Amino acid sequence: MSIDAIDIITDAFERVLEGLPTALQGLDRDQLLWRPGPQANHIAWLSWHIDRCIDTQLAPLDGHQQVWSQGWRERFALPYPPEAMGYGQSPADVGDFTVSDPELLIGYHRSVSALVHEVLNAERGKDLARVVDERWDPPVTAAVRLVSVVDDASQHLGQLAYVKGLVTTAR
């Protein structure tokens, strides 16, 4: 049996896409915004950041529009520039993130999940060795972009789960 590279990457993404809504279930406002320390990220910010990173980095692969620009930026009403995705934000910036509605986070996540499936379907049969970003040395290929995004999302989902464990056992 032969397995396609996109099938493997899809499986990896599915683990994150299914895990995030489950991780948010049952959390209240205080738990979503609780930070284990003044320099730490909270669950709501981590959820948003996971999806913003996926959205920002996958949409351009096949000319898709970012989900964020389809009304989600306005719904979140964050005090950040429109292109913000969390990369390079300070602890104070994280503290300015006040979205505490898990349904808003899950709604954005569902839209990003749909984008992931669209992009991965569009990538099927394409040359994953093609360069998609020449701003880096070495230039980034489609394969490297896909793997790095799912790796980053997985790591952040682990952080989110850890913070959830801290906040739910502290009460």
Side-chain angles (χ1 to χ4, degrees):
M1 175 170 114
S2 175
I3 297 178
D4 183 80
I6 291 297
D7 291 335
I8 294 168
I9 293 169
T10 299
D11 181 59
F13 268 106
E14 280 299 321
R15 294 166 193 239
V16 173
L17 298 177
E18 292 172 5
L20 184 58
T22 301
L24 296 176
Q25 284 179 345
L27 296 175
D28 64 28
R29 178 190 189 288
D30 291 339
Q31 290 171 320
L32 285 169
L33 298 176
W34 181 81
R35 297 167 81 177
Q39 303 295 311
N41 300 323
H42 53 68
I43 291 170
W45 185 91
L46 284 163
S47 174
W48 169 80
H49 176 62
I50 289 167
D51 285 322
R52 280 297 292 134
C53 288
I54 293 171
D55 193 6
T56 302
Q57 295 183 65
L58 290 195
L61 281 182
D62 292 289
H64 290 84
Q65 183 181 17
Q66 286 185 35
V67 173
W68 187 244
S69 66
Q70 298 170 22
W72 288 103
R73 184 172 87 79
E74 291 77 15
R75 284 180 227 162
F76 274 75
L78 295 171
Y80 305 150
E83 69 280 358
M85 59 185 251
Y87 181 76
Q89 287 190 314
S90 70
D93 293 327
V94 173
D96 289 341
F97 189 102
T98 59
V99 173
S100 60
D101 180 1
E103 291 308 314
L104 181 63
L105 296 165
I106 290 170
Y108 179 51
H109 179 72
R110 285 185 183 127
S111 293
V112 169
S113 295
L115 171 71
V116 168
H117 290 290
E118 288 176 28
V119 169
L120 292 176
N121 285 332
E123 285 296 308
R124 192 171 298 282
K126 288 188 177 180
D127 179 10
L128 296 179
R130 76 185 188 284
V131 173
V132 296
D133 192 343
E134 294 185 5
R135 296 174 297 167
W136 300 93
D137 186 19
V140 177
T141 64
V144 167
R145 175 62 44 88
L146 290 168
V147 169
S148 67
V149 171
V150 76
D151 176 57
D152 186 64
S154 295
Q155 289 185 49
H156 282 91
L157 183 59
Q159 293 169 0
L160 188 154
Y162 180 74
V163 174
K164 181 179 181 179
L166 291 174
V167 72
T168 57
T169 59
R171 293 189 168 197

